[in-house]
Amino acid sequence: MKAHDAMYIGGAWRGAKGEGAIEVRNPADGSVLGAVSAGGAEDVDAAVKAARAALPGWAATPPAERAARLGALRDVLEARAGEIADLVTAELGSPVTLSRKVHASLPVLVCGSYATLAAEFAFEETVGNSRVLREPVGVVGAITPWNYPLHQIVAKAAPALAAGCTVVLKPAEDTPLVAQLFAEAVHEAGVPAGVFNLVTGLGPVAGQALAEHEDVDLVSFTGSTAVGQRIGALAGGGVKRVALELGGKSANVILPGADLTKAVKIGVANVMSNSGQTCSAWTRMLVDAGRYEEAVRLAAEAAAKYVPGDPRDGSTRLGPVVNAKQRERVAGYIEQGEKEGARVVAGGAEPPEVPEGHEAGHYVRATVLADVTPGMVVAREEIFGPVLSILKYEDAEDALRIANDSEYGLAGAVWSEDEEEAVAFARRMESGQVDINGGRFNPLAPFGGYKRSGVGRELGAHGLEEYLQTKSLQF
C-alpha cells in the first residue's frame, strides 16, 4: 500500500492541519518506505469531535450488528494478511515468517473473538430487584506501540467497538503504515463514519493532545512505564479512565527436575522472538545452582542459531531492532552488564555481520549474559532487545524471591516435572500471566500486569469489560 498523507477522520481521508511529516524507514536497510503527516492538536480535536458525533448512533446499534461489522473487519484483515505481513516486515523488521504467523494472523484471531463476544456478551443482567446495564464508556483514545503494531491496534479497537465505544487511534510513529491499512480495512468493512478515526503524529504532540482532550472518556495506552505514568497523569486531570499495558522483566523459572533442555530452548526462543521487542518476554532465566552451568551452555548454543539476517528471507530468525536509538540502547545495556560482572556467553554489544546491502540496518546480536545477579541493571530494567540474563538460585523459595524482586509483574513462566508444583509456584508469582511448562498463548485469556506493568486487562471478555461502565435500574 502507499502511505496516506492524510488522517482518517469521520469516515474519510482528510488533509492534516498540523505541519510537517514523519519519514518511515525500513530498519533492515535504512531505505525510505514513505512519509505520513505529523498531526497536531487540531487534528486530534477534529478526530475526537467526529468520534463524539458518532457515539450515540454506534452505542445504540444492537450488539448483533456491531458483531457483524467486526466479523466483516476480520474478513478484510484475513484477506489482506499477506500484505499485512509484508508491511510489518518492512516497517518493523520482523522476519517474514514471524510476520505471517503472528503479526498478520493474531489480529484476525482477536478481531474474530470480539465479533463472537459482541454477539454473546450479557450487556444486561438481573440482580435481585435491579436491572444492571453494561454501557459503552464513550470516546476512547488509543495510543499504540510499534513492537506489535497491528495486534495492539486490534486489541484496543476491537473490544472498544464491540462495547459500543468510538475510537481515535494514535499509532506509533515508527510503524504508522499498518495503522493506515487498518483504517482502510475499517472503511471496507462498513463501520459507520466517525466510529473509528486515525491521527498519525508524534507522541509528545498528538499523543499528549489525545490523552488530555476533555472529550475523551478513556485512554488506552501500551508502551513504556515512564510514558504510561505521564499518560496517567494527563488523563487524571480530567478524571478519565485509563488502561495501561506497560513494561516487563519477566522471570522464567526452571525448577529442579524440569526438562532443562526443553525449558532453555523455548526460553531462548521466547526472548529472541521479534528481536526481543516483546514486553512479556522471559528475559530473566532462573536456574538452580546444580544445573546452572549446563543451562548456560544450552542457552549459548540455542542463541547461536539466531543469526541476524534479511527479514524478507524465510530462513531468517533474527531481524533488526526498530531504529538506531533502540540499537544503541540495547548495546548500552550489554556493555553495562559486562561492567557489572556479567559474562557474555553468546552475542555481545559489538555490531554483527549483516547481509550485503543491510549495512545501514539496526542489527543486534542474540546475546546471553551469565553470572547475572538480582541487583544488576540488566536484571532489573527492561532492555527490549534480544538479550537474555541467566540468574542462579539455591532453592524454590530463593527462586520465588528473585522472581518477585522486580518493579514489574507482566508475565512469567514456570517449568517442573510436577505440574501441581508448577501451579503452586505460579500462584505465588506477582505476575499477571504465567505459562506452565510452555503453555500455549490463549487470545481469550486476560493479559495485563501487576505492579508497574500496568492497569487493566486486554483480550477476551476481560478486555471487553475495560470499555464498559455499569448502571443499575431498581424496580
Side-chain angles (χ1 to χ4, degrees):
M1 63 167 284
K2 183 180 179 180
H4 293 276
D5 186 21
M7 311 291 176
Y8 184 74
I9 298 175
W13 293 98
R14 304 181 184 179
K17 295 183 181 298
E19 296 182 359
I22 299 171
E23 196 171 63
V24 184
R25 288 184 175 270
N26 187 327
D29 59 19
S31 61
V32 177
L33 300 172
V36 299
S37 297
E42 286 185 85
D43 300 297
V44 169
D45 185 59
V48 172
K49 286 178 178 176
R52 178 62 62 185
L55 180 61
W58 184 245
T61 299
E65 175 56 24
R66 298 201 297 262
R69 290 307 96 213
L70 283 169
L73 177 58
R74 189 211 75 88
D75 292 344
V76 175
L77 293 176
E78 184 174 47
R80 300 185 69 173
E83 184 182 358
I84 290 168
D86 290 343
L87 190 54
V88 173
T89 292
E91 278 193 296
L92 179 62
S94 167
V96 68
T97 50
L98 181 69
S99 294
R100 291 169 183 160
K101 185 177 180 180
V102 176
H103 290 288
S105 64
L106 184 57
V108 173
L109 186 63
V110 171
C111 192
S113 74
Y114 281 112
T116 300
L117 272 169
E120 298 177 351
F121 190 82
F123 288 95
E124 295 188 13
E125 63 176 330
T126 298
V127 180
N129 65 306
S130 300
R131 184 179 302 165
V132 179
L133 312 179
R134 308 301 302 280
E135 299 179 337
V137 71
V139 175
V140 173
I143 304 174
T144 55
W146 45 260
N147 60 326
Y148 288 88
L150 184 58
H151 167 62
Q152 292 291 350
I153 290 170
V154 172
K156 299 180 188 304
L161 298 184
C165 297
T166 55
V167 177
V168 177
L169 168 68
K170 204 299 285 183
E173 47 264 37
D174 286 293
T175 54
L177 302 184
V178 76
Q180 293 187 338
L181 186 152
F182 181 75
E184 293 176 353
V186 166
H187 192 87
E188 186 176 343
V191 175
V195 170
F196 174 83
N197 307 272
L198 168 67
V199 176
T200 54
L202 301 175
V205 181
Q208 178 167 328
L210 185 58
E212 61 188 4
H213 198 290
E214 62 181 8
D215 263 347
V216 169
D217 300 294
L218 181 150
V219 181
S220 181
F221 168 79
T222 297
S224 72
T225 296
V227 176
Q229 291 171 320
R230 174 64 175 159
I231 294 288
L234 292 171
V239 197
K240 63 186 66 173
R241 285 169 54 178
V242 294
L244 305 173
E245 198 268 281
L246 307 176
K249 194 68 181 178
S250 302
N252 179 19
V253 182
I254 305 174
L255 294 174
D259 185 334
L260 187 65
T261 300
K262 181 180 179 181
V264 170
K265 178 182 178 181
I266 294 177
V268 170
N270 175 278
V271 172
M272 303 308 164
S273 179
N274 211 43
S275 297
Q277 299 167 137
T278 303
C279 55
S280 57
W282 309 333
T283 51
R284 292 183 296 149
M285 180 180 289
L286 277 58
V287 185
D288 60 284
R291 298 194 295 175
Y292 184 79
E293 288 303 331
E294 183 183 0
V296 168
R297 177 183 61 79
L298 290 170
E301 290 174 356
K305 297 177 181 178
Y306 289 83
V307 180
D310 184 348
R312 297 170 300 178
D313 186 330
S315 66
T316 294
R317 303 178 71 182
L318 185 67
V321 293
V322 71
N323 55 38
K325 181 179 179 181
Q326 191 66 17
R327 191 202 67 76
E328 292 168 2
R329 168 188 168 91
V330 176
Y333 271 111
I334 297 170
E335 292 171 350
Q336 176 70 22
E338 287 190 272
K339 289 178 182 178
E340 291 185 319
R343 173 168 44 114
V344 177
V345 296
E350 64 276 11
E353 293 183 9
V354 297
E356 185 177 351
H358 289 252
E359 292 80 7
H362 312 304
Y363 290 90
V364 179
R365 295 173 184 267
T367 299
V368 176
L369 301 176
D371 300 339
V372 175
T373 58
M376 290 183 181
V377 170
V378 292
R380 307 203 68 82
E381 297 186 9
E382 186 175 39
I383 298 174
F384 227 60
V387 182
L388 169 65
S389 296
I390 308 182
L391 294 86
K392 183 186 302 182
Y393 68 83
E394 296 303 322
D395 54 31
E397 288 301 315
D398 190 37
L400 183 68
R401 177 188 62 78
I402 295 170
N404 288 340
D405 182 21
S406 174
E407 67 179 14
Y408 298 112
L410 186 56
V414 182
W415 301 81
S416 173
E417 60 181 348
D418 181 348
E419 185 175 289
E420 291 186 5
E421 178 189 42
V423 171
F425 190 96
R427 287 180 180 275
R428 300 171 67 193
M429 291 179 72
E430 298 168 353
S431 181
Q433 188 172 78
V434 183
D435 292 352
I436 305 295
N437 290 332
R440 293 182 296 112
F441 176 75
N442 180 2
L444 297 179
F447 179 77
Y450 286 19
K451 299 186 279 190
R452 292 195 178 190
S453 283
V455 176
R457 292 295 181 267
E458 292 186 328
L459 303 180
H462 293 82
L464 176 61
E465 290 169 358
E466 290 293 330
Y467 299 93
L468 294 168
Q469 53 191 348
T470 306
K471 176 187 292 181
S472 62
L473 309 180
Q474 279 61 251
F475 293 88

Short mmCIF file of all heavy atoms in Angstrom, two decimals, residues 374-430:
data_model
loop_
_atom_site.label_atom_id
_atom_site.label_comp_id
_atom_site.label_asym_id
_atom_site.label_seq_id
_atom_site.Cartn_x
_atom_site.Cartn_y
_atom_site.Cartn_z
N PRO A 374 20.68 -10.50 41.00
CA PRO A 374 19.43 -9.73 41.03
C PRO A 374 19.60 -8.22 41.08
O PRO A 374 18.72 -7.48 40.61
CB PRO A 374 18.73 -10.25 42.29
CG PRO A 374 19.25 -11.63 42.45
CD PRO A 374 20.69 -11.55 42.03
N GLY A 375 20.71 -7.73 41.61
CA GLY A 375 20.88 -6.29 41.73
C GLY A 375 21.41 -5.60 40.49
O GLY A 375 21.43 -4.36 40.41
N MET A 376 21.86 -6.35 39.50
CA MET A 376 22.42 -5.75 38.28
C MET A 376 21.34 -5.04 37.47
O MET A 376 20.18 -5.44 37.45
CB MET A 376 23.09 -6.82 37.42
CG MET A 376 24.35 -7.40 37.99
SD MET A 376 25.08 -8.59 36.83
CE MET A 376 26.52 -9.14 37.76
N VAL A 377 21.76 -4.01 36.76
CA VAL A 377 20.84 -3.26 35.91
C VAL A 377 20.18 -4.17 34.88
O VAL A 377 18.98 -4.06 34.61
CB VAL A 377 21.58 -2.10 35.20
CG1 VAL A 377 20.71 -1.47 34.13
CG2 VAL A 377 22.01 -1.05 36.22
N VAL A 378 20.94 -5.10 34.29
CA VAL A 378 20.39 -5.98 33.26
C VAL A 378 19.37 -6.96 33.82
O VAL A 378 18.63 -7.60 33.06
CB VAL A 378 21.49 -6.74 32.50
CG1 VAL A 378 22.32 -5.79 31.65
CG2 VAL A 378 22.37 -7.54 33.47
N ALA A 379 19.32 -7.11 35.15
CA ALA A 379 18.34 -7.97 35.78
C ALA A 379 17.12 -7.18 36.26
O ALA A 379 16.12 -7.79 36.67
CB ALA A 379 18.96 -8.71 36.97
N ARG A 380 17.19 -5.86 36.19
CA ARG A 380 16.12 -5.04 36.76
C ARG A 380 15.39 -4.19 35.73
O ARG A 380 14.19 -3.91 35.87
CB ARG A 380 16.67 -4.15 37.87
CG ARG A 380 17.45 -4.91 38.94
CD ARG A 380 17.50 -4.16 40.25
NE ARG A 380 16.18 -4.07 40.87
CZ ARG A 380 15.65 -5.05 41.60
NH1 ARG A 380 16.28 -6.20 41.76
NH2 ARG A 380 14.45 -4.90 42.15
N GLU A 381 16.10 -3.73 34.70
CA GLU A 381 15.48 -2.81 33.74
C GLU A 381 15.11 -3.53 32.44
O GLU A 381 15.78 -4.48 32.03
CB GLU A 381 16.42 -1.64 33.46
CG GLU A 381 16.70 -0.80 34.69
CD GLU A 381 17.52 0.45 34.39
OE1 GLU A 381 17.72 0.76 33.20
OE2 GLU A 381 17.96 1.10 35.35
N GLU A 382 14.06 -3.05 31.80
CA GLU A 382 13.60 -3.63 30.55
C GLU A 382 14.53 -3.20 29.41
O GLU A 382 14.64 -2.01 29.11
CB GLU A 382 12.16 -3.19 30.25
CG GLU A 382 11.56 -3.86 29.04
CD GLU A 382 10.11 -3.51 28.84
OE1 GLU A 382 9.75 -2.33 29.07
OE2 GLU A 382 9.32 -4.37 28.45
N ILE A 383 15.18 -4.15 28.78
CA ILE A 383 16.15 -3.86 27.73
C ILE A 383 15.46 -3.72 26.38
O ILE A 383 15.82 -2.88 25.56
CB ILE A 383 17.23 -4.96 27.68
CG1 ILE A 383 17.99 -4.98 29.01
CG2 ILE A 383 18.18 -4.75 26.51
CD1 ILE A 383 18.98 -6.13 29.14
N PHE A 384 14.49 -4.55 26.12
CA PHE A 384 13.71 -4.53 24.88
C PHE A 384 14.58 -4.82 23.65
O PHE A 384 14.59 -4.10 22.67
CB PHE A 384 12.97 -3.20 24.71
CG PHE A 384 11.52 -3.39 24.31
CD1 PHE A 384 10.67 -4.09 25.14
CD2 PHE A 384 11.02 -2.89 23.13
CE1 PHE A 384 9.33 -4.27 24.80
CE2 PHE A 384 9.70 -3.07 22.78
CZ PHE A 384 8.85 -3.76 23.61
N GLY A 385 15.34 -5.88 23.77
CA GLY A 385 16.19 -6.35 22.69
C GLY A 385 16.49 -7.81 22.92
O GLY A 385 16.10 -8.40 23.94
N PRO A 386 17.22 -8.46 22.00
CA PRO A 386 17.48 -9.90 22.10
C PRO A 386 18.57 -10.23 23.11
O PRO A 386 19.66 -10.69 22.77
CB PRO A 386 17.90 -10.25 20.67
CG PRO A 386 18.57 -9.01 20.17
CD PRO A 386 17.79 -7.87 20.77
N VAL A 387 18.26 -9.99 24.38
CA VAL A 387 19.23 -10.18 25.45
C VAL A 387 18.60 -10.98 26.58
O VAL A 387 17.58 -10.57 27.15
CB VAL A 387 19.72 -8.82 26.00
CG1 VAL A 387 20.77 -9.03 27.09
CG2 VAL A 387 20.28 -7.95 24.89
N LEU A 388 19.21 -12.10 26.91
CA LEU A 388 18.75 -12.96 28.00
C LEU A 388 19.74 -12.92 29.16
O LEU A 388 20.94 -13.06 28.95
CB LEU A 388 18.62 -14.41 27.50
CG LEU A 388 18.39 -15.48 28.58
CD1 LEU A 388 17.04 -15.28 29.25
CD2 LEU A 388 18.49 -16.88 27.98
N SER A 389 19.24 -12.73 30.37
CA SER A 389 20.06 -12.79 31.58
C SER A 389 19.73 -14.09 32.33
O SER A 389 18.55 -14.41 32.53
CB SER A 389 19.77 -11.60 32.50
OG SER A 389 20.14 -10.38 31.88
N ILE A 390 20.77 -14.82 32.73
CA ILE A 390 20.57 -16.08 33.46
C ILE A 390 21.05 -15.90 34.90
O ILE A 390 22.20 -15.51 35.14
CB ILE A 390 21.32 -17.24 32.79
CG1 ILE A 390 20.97 -17.33 31.29
CG2 ILE A 390 20.96 -18.56 33.48
CD1 ILE A 390 21.61 -18.49 30.57
N LEU A 391 20.16 -16.17 35.84
CA LEU A 391 20.44 -16.00 37.26
C LEU A 391 20.39 -17.35 37.96
O LEU A 391 19.70 -18.27 37.54
CB LEU A 391 19.42 -15.05 37.90
CG LEU A 391 19.44 -13.59 37.44
CD1 LEU A 391 18.58 -13.38 36.20
CD2 LEU A 391 18.94 -12.67 38.55
N LYS A 392 21.11 -17.44 39.05
CA LYS A 392 21.23 -18.69 39.83
C LYS A 392 20.41 -18.57 41.11
O LYS A 392 20.38 -17.51 41.74
CB LYS A 392 22.70 -18.93 40.16
CG LYS A 392 23.01 -20.24 40.89
CD LYS A 392 24.49 -20.27 41.30
CE LYS A 392 25.41 -20.13 40.09
NZ LYS A 392 26.85 -20.22 40.49
N TYR A 393 19.74 -19.66 41.49
CA TYR A 393 19.05 -19.68 42.78
C TYR A 393 19.43 -20.94 43.55
O TYR A 393 19.89 -21.93 42.98
CB TYR A 393 17.54 -19.57 42.60
CG TYR A 393 16.87 -20.77 41.95
CD1 TYR A 393 16.52 -21.89 42.70
CD2 TYR A 393 16.57 -20.77 40.59
CE1 TYR A 393 15.91 -22.99 42.12
CE2 TYR A 393 15.95 -21.86 39.99
CZ TYR A 393 15.62 -22.97 40.76
OH TYR A 393 15.02 -24.06 40.18
N GLU A 394 19.22 -20.91 44.88
CA GLU A 394 19.61 -22.03 45.73
C GLU A 394 18.48 -23.04 45.94
O GLU A 394 18.72 -24.25 45.95
CB GLU A 394 20.08 -21.49 47.10
CG GLU A 394 21.33 -20.62 47.01
CD GLU A 394 22.50 -21.35 46.37
OE1 GLU A 394 22.67 -22.57 46.62
OE2 GLU A 394 23.26 -20.71 45.60
N ASP A 395 17.26 -22.56 46.16
CA ASP A 395 16.11 -23.45 46.33
C ASP A 395 14.87 -22.74 45.83
O ASP A 395 14.94 -21.60 45.35
CB ASP A 395 15.95 -23.88 47.79
CG ASP A 395 15.88 -22.70 48.75
OD1 ASP A 395 15.39 -21.62 48.34
OD2 ASP A 395 16.31 -22.85 49.91
N ALA A 396 13.71 -23.39 45.90
CA ALA A 396 12.48 -22.83 45.33
C ALA A 396 12.09 -21.51 45.98
O ALA A 396 11.62 -20.58 45.30
CB ALA A 396 11.34 -23.84 45.46
N GLU A 397 12.29 -21.39 47.29
CA GLU A 397 11.95 -20.13 47.97
C GLU A 397 12.86 -19.00 47.49
O GLU A 397 12.42 -17.86 47.32
CB GLU A 397 12.05 -20.30 49.48
CG GLU A 397 10.94 -21.13 50.08
CD GLU A 397 9.56 -20.53 49.80
OE1 GLU A 397 9.40 -19.31 49.98
OE2 GLU A 397 8.66 -21.29 49.42
N ASP A 398 14.12 -19.32 47.25
CA ASP A 398 15.05 -18.32 46.73
C ASP A 398 14.65 -17.92 45.32
O ASP A 398 14.69 -16.74 44.96
CB ASP A 398 16.47 -18.90 46.74
CG ASP A 398 17.53 -17.85 46.44
OD1 ASP A 398 17.39 -16.69 46.88
OD2 ASP A 398 18.52 -18.18 45.74
N ALA A 399 14.21 -18.90 44.53
CA ALA A 399 13.77 -18.62 43.17
C ALA A 399 12.55 -17.69 43.18
O ALA A 399 12.46 -16.74 42.38
CB ALA A 399 13.43 -19.92 42.44
N LEU A 400 11.61 -17.94 44.09
CA LEU A 400 10.42 -17.10 44.17
C LEU A 400 10.78 -15.68 44.59
O LEU A 400 10.25 -14.71 44.05
CB LEU A 400 9.43 -17.71 45.17
CG LEU A 400 8.10 -16.96 45.31
CD1 LEU A 400 7.28 -17.07 44.04
CD2 LEU A 400 7.31 -17.50 46.51
N ARG A 401 11.71 -15.59 45.54
CA ARG A 401 12.14 -14.25 45.99
C ARG A 401 12.74 -13.46 44.84
O ARG A 401 12.42 -12.30 44.63
CB ARG A 401 13.16 -14.39 47.12
CG ARG A 401 13.73 -13.07 47.62
CD ARG A 401 14.87 -13.30 48.59
NE ARG A 401 16.00 -13.99 48.00
CZ ARG A 401 16.91 -13.39 47.20
NH1 ARG A 401 16.80 -12.09 46.91
NH2 ARG A 401 17.92 -14.08 46.71
N ILE A 402 13.61 -14.12 44.05
CA ILE A 402 14.25 -13.43 42.92
C ILE A 402 13.23 -13.07 41.86
O ILE A 402 13.23 -11.96 41.30
CB ILE A 402 15.36 -14.31 42.33
CG1 ILE A 402 16.49 -14.52 43.35
CG2 ILE A 402 15.93 -13.69 41.06
CD1 ILE A 402 17.51 -15.57 42.94
N ALA A 403 12.31 -14.01 41.56
CA ALA A 403 11.30 -13.76 40.52
C ALA A 403 10.44 -12.55 40.87
O ALA A 403 10.11 -11.73 40.00
CB ALA A 403 10.43 -15.00 40.34
N ASN A 404 10.08 -12.42 42.15
CA ASN A 404 9.19 -11.33 42.57
C ASN A 404 9.94 -10.05 42.91
O ASN A 404 9.32 -9.01 43.15
CB ASN A 404 8.37 -11.76 43.79
CG ASN A 404 7.30 -12.77 43.43
OD1 ASN A 404 6.91 -12.89 42.27
ND2 ASN A 404 6.81 -13.50 44.42
N ASP A 405 11.26 -10.10 42.91
CA ASP A 405 12.07 -8.92 43.23
C ASP A 405 12.20 -8.04 41.99
O ASP A 405 13.27 -7.92 41.39
CB ASP A 405 13.44 -9.35 43.73
CG ASP A 405 14.31 -8.16 44.12
OD1 ASP A 405 13.76 -7.07 44.38
OD2 ASP A 405 15.55 -8.31 44.14
N SER A 406 11.10 -7.43 41.61
CA SER A 406 11.05 -6.59 40.41
C SER A 406 9.91 -5.61 40.53
O SER A 406 8.87 -5.91 41.14
CB SER A 406 10.84 -7.46 39.16
OG SER A 406 10.65 -6.66 38.01
N GLU A 407 10.09 -4.43 39.97
CA GLU A 407 9.01 -3.46 39.96
C GLU A 407 7.94 -3.84 38.94
O GLU A 407 6.85 -3.27 38.93
CB GLU A 407 9.53 -2.06 39.66
CG GLU A 407 10.08 -1.86 38.26
CD GLU A 407 10.57 -0.43 38.02
OE1 GLU A 407 10.72 0.31 39.01
OE2 GLU A 407 10.79 -0.08 36.86
N TYR A 408 8.29 -4.80 38.07
CA TYR A 408 7.36 -5.24 37.04
C TYR A 408 6.66 -6.53 37.45
O TYR A 408 7.15 -7.27 38.30
CB TYR A 408 8.10 -5.48 35.72
CG TYR A 408 8.75 -4.25 35.14
CD1 TYR A 408 10.14 -4.15 35.09
CD2 TYR A 408 7.99 -3.20 34.65
CE1 TYR A 408 10.75 -3.02 34.54
CE2 TYR A 408 8.59 -2.08 34.12
CZ TYR A 408 9.97 -1.99 34.06
OH TYR A 408 10.57 -0.88 33.52
N GLY A 409 5.55 -6.82 36.78
CA GLY A 409 4.83 -8.06 37.02
C GLY A 409 3.90 -8.38 35.87
O GLY A 409 2.70 -8.57 36.05
N LEU A 410 4.46 -8.43 34.66
CA LEU A 410 3.61 -8.62 33.48
C LEU A 410 3.38 -10.09 33.16
O LEU A 410 2.25 -10.53 32.98
CB LEU A 410 4.22 -7.91 32.27
CG LEU A 410 3.38 -7.90 31.00
CD1 LEU A 410 2.00 -7.31 31.24
CD2 LEU A 410 4.10 -7.15 29.88
N ALA A 411 4.45 -10.85 33.02
CA ALA A 411 4.31 -12.25 32.61
C ALA A 411 5.40 -13.08 33.27
O ALA A 411 6.22 -12.57 34.04
CB ALA A 411 4.39 -12.36 31.09
N GLY A 412 5.41 -14.36 32.94
CA GLY A 412 6.43 -15.23 33.50
C GLY A 412 6.19 -16.66 33.07
O GLY A 412 5.25 -16.95 32.33
N ALA A 413 7.05 -17.56 33.52
CA ALA A 413 6.94 -18.96 33.18
C ALA A 413 7.50 -19.81 34.31
O ALA A 413 8.39 -19.38 35.04
CB ALA A 413 7.68 -19.26 31.88
N VAL A 414 6.96 -21.01 34.45
CA VAL A 414 7.45 -21.98 35.43
C VAL A 414 7.53 -23.34 34.75
O VAL A 414 6.61 -23.74 34.02
CB VAL A 414 6.53 -22.09 36.66
CG1 VAL A 414 7.12 -23.08 37.67
CG2 VAL A 414 6.33 -20.75 37.32
N TRP A 415 8.64 -24.04 35.00
CA TRP A 415 8.84 -25.38 34.47
C TRP A 415 9.07 -26.34 35.62
O TRP A 415 9.86 -26.07 36.52
CB TRP A 415 10.04 -25.42 33.53
CG TRP A 415 9.93 -24.49 32.36
CD1 TRP A 415 10.18 -23.15 32.36
CD2 TRP A 415 9.54 -24.83 31.04
NE1 TRP A 415 9.96 -22.62 31.10
CE2 TRP A 415 9.57 -23.64 30.26
CE3 TRP A 415 9.17 -26.03 30.41
CZ2 TRP A 415 9.25 -23.62 28.91
CZ3 TRP A 415 8.84 -26.01 29.06
CH2 TRP A 415 8.89 -24.81 28.33
N SER A 416 8.37 -27.49 35.60
CA SER A 416 8.56 -28.50 36.62
C SER A 416 8.11 -29.86 36.07
O SER A 416 7.22 -29.92 35.21
CB SER A 416 7.74 -28.16 37.88
OG SER A 416 7.78 -29.22 38.82
N GLU A 417 8.70 -30.93 36.58
CA GLU A 417 8.23 -32.26 36.20
C GLU A 417 6.90 -32.58 36.86
O GLU A 417 6.19 -33.50 36.45
CB GLU A 417 9.28 -33.31 36.58
CG GLU A 417 9.58 -33.36 38.07
CD GLU A 417 10.65 -34.39 38.41
OE1 GLU A 417 10.97 -35.20 37.52
OE2 GLU A 417 11.16 -34.38 39.55
N ASP A 418 6.55 -31.81 37.87
CA ASP A 418 5.29 -31.97 38.59
C ASP A 418 4.42 -30.75 38.31
O ASP A 418 4.71 -29.65 38.80
CB ASP A 418 5.57 -32.11 40.09
CG ASP A 418 4.31 -32.31 40.92
OD1 ASP A 418 3.19 -32.11 40.39
OD2 ASP A 418 4.43 -32.65 42.11
N GLU A 419 3.35 -30.92 37.53
CA GLU A 419 2.51 -29.78 37.15
C GLU A 419 1.90 -29.10 38.37
O GLU A 419 1.77 -27.87 38.40
CB GLU A 419 1.41 -30.23 36.19
CG GLU A 419 0.58 -29.08 35.65
CD GLU A 419 -0.43 -29.51 34.61
OE1 GLU A 419 0.01 -29.87 33.48
OE2 GLU A 419 -1.64 -29.50 34.90
N GLU A 420 1.51 -29.87 39.37
CA GLU A 420 0.92 -29.26 40.57
C GLU A 420 1.93 -28.37 41.28
O GLU A 420 1.58 -27.31 41.82
CB GLU A 420 0.41 -30.35 41.51
CG GLU A 420 -0.82 -31.09 40.97
CD GLU A 420 -1.39 -32.05 42.00
OE1 GLU A 420 -0.90 -32.08 43.15
OE2 GLU A 420 -2.34 -32.78 41.64
N GLU A 421 3.20 -28.80 41.30
CA GLU A 421 4.25 -27.97 41.89
C GLU A 421 4.39 -26.66 41.11
O GLU A 421 4.53 -25.58 41.71
CB GLU A 421 5.58 -28.72 41.88
CG GLU A 421 6.74 -27.89 42.43
CD GLU A 421 8.10 -28.54 42.23
OE1 GLU A 421 8.34 -29.09 41.13
OE2 GLU A 421 8.94 -28.46 43.15
N ALA A 422 4.33 -26.75 39.78
CA ALA A 422 4.45 -25.55 38.95
C ALA A 422 3.29 -24.60 39.19
O ALA A 422 3.49 -23.38 39.29
CB ALA A 422 4.52 -25.96 37.48
N VAL A 423 2.09 -25.15 39.29
CA VAL A 423 0.92 -24.30 39.54
C VAL A 423 1.01 -23.63 40.90
O VAL A 423 0.71 -22.43 41.05
CB VAL A 423 -0.38 -25.14 39.43
CG1 VAL A 423 -1.58 -24.33 39.89
CG2 VAL A 423 -0.59 -25.59 37.99
N ALA A 424 1.43 -24.38 41.90
CA ALA A 424 1.57 -23.80 43.25
C ALA A 424 2.58 -22.66 43.25
O ALA A 424 2.39 -21.63 43.91
CB ALA A 424 1.98 -24.89 44.24
N PHE A 425 3.67 -22.85 42.51
CA PHE A 425 4.69 -21.80 42.41
C PHE A 425 4.12 -20.60 41.66
O PHE A 425 4.31 -19.44 42.09
CB PHE A 425 5.92 -22.35 41.69
CG PHE A 425 7.12 -21.44 41.74
CD1 PHE A 425 8.10 -21.63 42.69
CD2 PHE A 425 7.26 -20.39 40.84
CE1 PHE A 425 9.21 -20.79 42.76
CE2 PHE A 425 8.36 -19.54 40.89
CZ PHE A 425 9.34 -19.74 41.85
N ALA A 426 3.43 -20.83 40.56
CA ALA A 426 2.87 -19.75 39.75
C ALA A 426 1.87 -18.92 40.54
O ALA A 426 1.78 -17.69 40.36
CB ALA A 426 2.22 -20.32 38.50
N ARG A 427 1.10 -19.55 41.41
CA ARG A 427 0.13 -18.82 42.23
C ARG A 427 0.82 -17.78 43.11
O ARG A 427 0.21 -16.77 43.47
CB ARG A 427 -0.66 -19.79 43.11
CG ARG A 427 -1.69 -20.62 42.36
CD ARG A 427 -2.42 -21.55 43.31
NE ARG A 427 -3.42 -22.36 42.64
CZ ARG A 427 -4.67 -21.97 42.39
NH1 ARG A 427 -5.06 -20.76 42.77
NH2 ARG A 427 -5.51 -22.78 41.80
N ARG A 428 2.06 -18.02 43.46
CA ARG A 428 2.78 -17.11 44.35
C ARG A 428 3.60 -16.06 43.59
O ARG A 428 4.19 -15.17 44.22
CB ARG A 428 3.69 -17.91 45.28
CG ARG A 428 2.93 -18.90 46.16
CD ARG A 428 3.87 -19.82 46.90
NE ARG A 428 4.67 -19.10 47.89
CZ ARG A 428 5.74 -19.61 48.50
NH1 ARG A 428 6.15 -20.84 48.19
NH2 ARG A 428 6.41 -18.89 49.37
N MET A 429 3.64 -16.16 42.28
CA MET A 429 4.35 -15.17 41.49
C MET A 429 3.52 -13.91 41.35
O MET A 429 2.31 -13.97 41.11
CB MET A 429 4.70 -15.73 40.10
CG MET A 429 5.75 -16.82 40.13
SD MET A 429 6.12 -17.49 38.48
CE MET A 429 7.02 -16.11 37.74
N GLU A 430 4.15 -12.77 41.49
CA GLU A 430 3.47 -11.48 41.38
C GLU A 430 3.47 -11.06 39.91
O GLU A 430 4.22 -10.18 39.48
CB GLU A 430 4.16 -10.45 42.26
CG GLU A 430 4.12 -10.82 43.75
CD GLU A 430 5.04 -9.97 44.60
OE1 GLU A 430 5.83 -9.17 44.02
OE2 GLU A 430 4.99 -10.12 45.84
#
